[in-house]
């Protein structure tokens, strides 16, 4: 791995963590999950930190071990990480989310990707 990638790995981790926390926060807001935005901020901060760490590790492994396919594998892995976090935490199935259809899937979520 070249010196150029030294700045890409933490930056990509922060972008992945930010994207995951933003999408999760938007899903919670649109489905009226939780008490309010202030009460949801701590769990979202923890999701951001955890996802940032895991994504940075994934980018480092992908760029150092996959050779020419490293960037594509790193981006695909980041998208899968974000999707996995959303599928896991978007809303408990038994949570009464009156603003979302059955299954507590936000209306803006693409139907092709299951949550």
């Amino acid at each position: 791995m070249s010196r150029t990638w030294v700045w890409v790995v933490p930056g990509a981790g922060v972008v992945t963590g930010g994207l995951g926390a933003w999408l999760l926060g938007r899903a919670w807001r649109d489905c009226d999950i939780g008490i309010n935005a202030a009460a949801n901020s701590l769990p979202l901060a923890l999701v951001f930190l955890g996802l940032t760490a895991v994504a940075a590790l994934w980018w480092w492994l992908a760029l150092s071990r996959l050779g020419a396919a490293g960037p594509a594998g790193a981006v695909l892995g980041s998208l899968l990480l974000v999707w996995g976090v959303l599928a896991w935490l978007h809303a408990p199935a038994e949570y009464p989310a009156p603003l979302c259809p059955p299954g507590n899937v936000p209306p803006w979520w693409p139907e092709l990707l299951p949550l």
Side-chain angles (χ1 to χ4, degrees), residues 7-18 51-52 55-56 59-60 63 74-75 78:
W7 297 105
V8 171
V9 169
V14 168
V15 168
T16 302
L51 195 54
T52 297
W59 273 78
W60 177 75
L63 293 176
V75 169
S78 288

Side-chain angles (χ1 to χ4, degrees), residues 63-109:
L63 293 176
S64 64
R65 304 284 186 233
L66 294 180
V75 169
L76 181 63
S78 288
L79 292 175
L80 288 174
L81 281 171
V82 169
W83 176 69
V85 166
L86 285 173
W88 177 39
L89 296 172
H90 77 283
E94 66 276 355
Y95 192 89
L99 301 179
C100 284
N104 291 342
V105 177
W108 48 263
W109 187 257

